[in-house]
Amino acid sequence: MTITPDKPEIEQPVVTLPIPETSQEFNWKKCWYPVTFLQDLAKGRPHSFSLYDEPFVLFINQDGQLGCLPDRCPHRAAKLSDGQIIDGRIECLYHGWQFATDGKCLHIPQLPTDAKIPSAACLPSFKVVERQGIIWVWFGELRAADEELIPTIPELDKAEYICLDYVADMPYDQSYFIENAIDPAHVSISHDRTEINAKRENAQPLEMEIIESSAKGIRGRYRRTRIPNANWSNIDFVAPNSVIYTFDIRGNNFYSGNTVYSIPLGKGRCRILIRKYWQSLTWVEKFKPRWLKHLHQNKILDEDSVFIVGLQEQIEQLAQNLKQVYLPLKTSDTFVLEYRKWLDKFGTSLPFYRGYSTSRQAENHGEPNQKPMTLDRLTRHTLICSSCNRAYRVTNNLKQGLIGVAIAMALLALITDGSSQIGAAFASLLSVALAVMTVKLKTKFEHFYTRQ
């Protein structure tokens, strides 16, 4: 890894409130990383993921205990995530070695019954906890794992709040996702008529303030300037993985927030976990299935992904720091600049990063390159979301069943006459129409959305 600092002095951020002095340091290993929602973790299968291109595997034993191990068998380096869960142990599919959630090797079929399992056959394990339905992993020393550092949402501990959870793997670096998430100014343009109250004609200068910036993150707030005495919306970046919006909307007994978590899977790849929560909802929203709500969230992410992938390619090709590329505005980019400058100050220990004036490239360890991540919804979201995966399989089976019914009814219409023939023909046509509808629904789980 190399750091390529710019010689000119880093510009000071534009703020309207003082930033407290801090001498803190940031250590990326002494942080909690969100892996997935508990409801999206298959109980009987290993769950593979990575952190800065290092592979790991997550699984649950028969007692419901979570375990996280390196995704590499110490025997012959096979991926444990390609194996299976047997009696709460993860078993390597190559030679059957079995491991507990704490990394201890419990069974080697090829050893004589009186032979002791060597200590080198055991794997290191990592602290795993579940908080508010999200699985978090700590990759530093176990004794330093402070669960109070997990950025939970206090409102979700109250019965009157409900939430919508969404997970997806994105084909760009985590920093580009956080930059997008911490940028309220793009919503009116990028999500015109997709998000509620997002309209191009509402794009306007924003009053933006940085309240605090430290190794722990950034606190800020913003409001529209064309609305007299507009309410402030709070936005917090909790280092290194979370962006938290809280909206001060108290009319009609309504309060909402939006938290986006992320994990750097590797260079050019990140996983995002979006959690929207409300104090009250209409009865229609309460009973709308999760997968149906995800179709709308997919569209929003697709709209963002188009330009994020493109701008990442542009920046990588230019081989310049962002200070040379960006032309920021105080009334739209204050939070983005503060985040990139946070990386300049506190991100130098990261395996790779891109700040405003400095950067570090990912090291090549001689390992095979990861397959390029695509933008299609199937691999990016559907296959890792329990609700959409189930709805996708049901839709596919329903399509095949309707096609079969249509063929059977058509054949019946050919061999009958009178009212029976008319009824069979009608049933065949109806089945075809329903099959076409299911095909259209099925594609919404598979294909990337493009604005017409």
Side-chain angles (χ1 to χ4, degrees):
M1 300 179 184
T2 58
I3 301 177
T4 55
D6 241 11
K7 294 299 183 183
E9 184 179 351
I10 300 175
E11 296 178 357
Q12 295 301 312
V14 178
V15 296
T16 54
L17 293 178
I19 299 177
E21 293 290 333
T22 177
S23 59
Q24 294 177 308
E25 294 182 355
F26 173 76
N27 187 332
W28 67 273
K29 289 187 177 180
K30 294 181 179 180
C31 299
W32 291 97
Y33 289 86
V35 178
T36 189
F37 293 106
L38 181 62
Q39 63 180 319
D40 293 322
L41 180 66
K43 299 298 188 294
R45 297 198 309 271
H47 180 93
S48 64
F49 71 100
S50 59
L51 177 70
Y52 290 113
D53 286 318
E54 287 294 323
F56 298 94
V57 62
L58 189 74
F59 66 103
I60 305 177
N61 68 12
Q62 70 272 25
D63 298 322
Q65 182 178 357
L66 292 160
C68 180
L69 310 175
D71 193 8
R72 187 180 295 114
C73 182
H75 177 215
R76 297 267 291 278
K79 294 180 65 174
L80 291 176
S81 59
D82 289 335
Q84 57 186 338
I85 309 299
I86 297 180
D87 297 328
R89 308 173 180 181
I90 187 168
E91 180 186 80
C92 179
L93 203 58
Y94 200 2
H95 295 91
W97 289 30
Q98 295 180 356
F99 302 88
T101 55
D102 62 359
K104 185 177 181 181
C105 184
L106 300 177
H107 179 60
I108 299 179
Q110 294 79 19
L111 275 183
T113 54
D114 58 346
K116 183 179 179 181
I117 295 177
S119 59
C122 298
L123 288 167
S125 63
F126 303 92
K127 178 75 172 180
V128 188
V129 298
E130 178 269 325
R131 286 293 179 275
Q132 294 184 334
I134 297 177
I135 298 173
W136 298 82
V137 180
W138 177 274
F139 291 97
E141 296 180 357
L142 290 177
R143 63 175 179 269
D146 183 0
E147 297 181 21
E148 295 296 321
L149 297 177
I150 297 175
T152 55
I153 303 171
E155 287 77 12
L156 293 186
D157 293 328
K158 303 175 183 178
E160 63 267 27
Y161 281 86
I162 60 176
C163 65
L164 171 65
D165 295 336
Y166 173 92
V167 61
D169 290 343
M170 309 307 294
Y172 39 79
D173 284 353
Q174 181 194 41
S175 66
Y176 289 102
F177 169 72
I178 293 178
E179 177 181 299
N180 175 248
I182 209 169
D183 171 29
H186 82 282
V187 175
S188 296
I189 304 296
S190 301
H191 306 303
D192 179 31
R193 269 70 181 181
T194 300
E195 283 274 44
I196 298 176
N197 297 325
K199 300 178 182 179
R200 297 179 64 86
E201 56 267 29
N202 288 340
Q204 61 188 273
L206 299 176
E207 184 178 357
M208 312 179 85
E209 296 180 349
I210 304 298
I211 300 172
E212 181 180 356
S213 183
S214 69
K216 296 180 180 180
I218 302 165
R219 291 197 303 117
R221 63 179 186 171
Y222 70 96
R223 63 181 176 180
R224 296 179 179 182
T225 58
R226 293 179 184 169
I227 301 176
N229 300 316
N231 289 334
W232 290 97
S233 294
N234 299 315
I235 180 169
D236 297 336
F237 163 63
V238 182
N241 302 309
S242 309
V243 176
I244 302 173
Y245 278 86
T246 51
F247 304 102
D248 189 11
I249 306 173
R250 301 192 180 278
N252 299 321
N253 194 31
F254 185 84
Y255 181 77
S256 68
N258 188 6
T259 300
V260 289
Y261 304 102
S262 58
I263 179 173
L265 299 176
K267 184 62 179 174
R269 301 178 301 128
C270 70
R271 173 170 295 175
I272 64 174
L273 290 81
I274 299 177
R275 168 164 280 175
K276 297 182 178 181
Y277 55 98
W278 303 266
Q279 188 174 0
S280 61
L281 278 180
T282 64
W283 69 270
V284 175
E285 287 295 323
K286 288 182 179 180
F287 291 100
K288 185 184 295 184
R290 183 184 180 217
W291 64 265
L292 187 58
K293 297 177 183 178
H294 282 185
L295 295 182
H296 180 256
Q297 189 63 53
N298 276 331
K299 184 177 180 181
I300 295 172
L301 264 294
D302 289 351
E303 291 173 344
D304 282 335
S305 298
V306 171
F307 62 81
I308 296 178
V309 170
L311 71 87
Q312 179 175 252
E313 291 175 352
Q314 295 263 33
I315 291 170
E316 296 299 323
Q317 290 173 3
L318 289 171
Q320 296 176 325
N321 60 49
L322 297 181
K323 186 177 180 179
Q324 296 170 296
V325 178
Y326 285 5
L327 184 62
L329 299 175
K330 177 183 177 181
T331 50
S332 67
D333 306 307
T334 296
F335 299 150
V336 171
L337 258 64
E338 192 65 29
Y339 167 63
R340 290 295 182 180
K341 291 177 180 181
W342 184 92
L343 288 172
D344 285 330
K345 188 173 183 179
F346 298 109
T348 53
S349 67
L350 295 171
F352 55 83
Y353 78 98
R354 184 173 292 280
Y356 190 51
S357 299
T358 64
S359 64
R360 169 177 289 167
Q361 300 301 314
E363 288 185 350
N364 185 353
H365 298 285
E367 297 179 354
N369 293 328
Q370 293 281 348
K371 293 181 180 179
M373 187 177 290
T374 63
L375 282 173
D376 69 277
R377 291 180 179 179
L378 183 63
T379 56
R380 182 173 56 81
H381 169 71
T382 301
L383 296 182
I384 62 174
C385 170
S386 60
S387 302
C388 291
N389 193 357
R390 183 167 51 251
Y392 176 68
R393 287 186 279 108
V394 170
T395 302
N396 193 45
N397 293 336
L398 182 59
K399 178 204 70 174
Q400 296 174 355
L402 288 169
I403 292 174
V405 171
I407 294 173
M409 290 297 100
L411 292 175
L412 182 62
L414 291 175
I415 61 175
T416 57
D417 53 17
S419 60
S420 296
Q421 184 180 48
I422 296 174
F426 176 78
S428 179
L429 292 174
L430 179 61
S431 297
V432 169
L434 292 174
V436 170
M437 293 174 62
T438 57
V439 169
K440 289 183 177 180
L441 178 59
K442 178 174 173 287
T443 60
K444 291 183 180 294
F445 293 106
E446 299 172 329
H447 300 314
F448 181 78
Y449 164 81
T450 55
R451 189 186 292 273
Q452 300 298 323

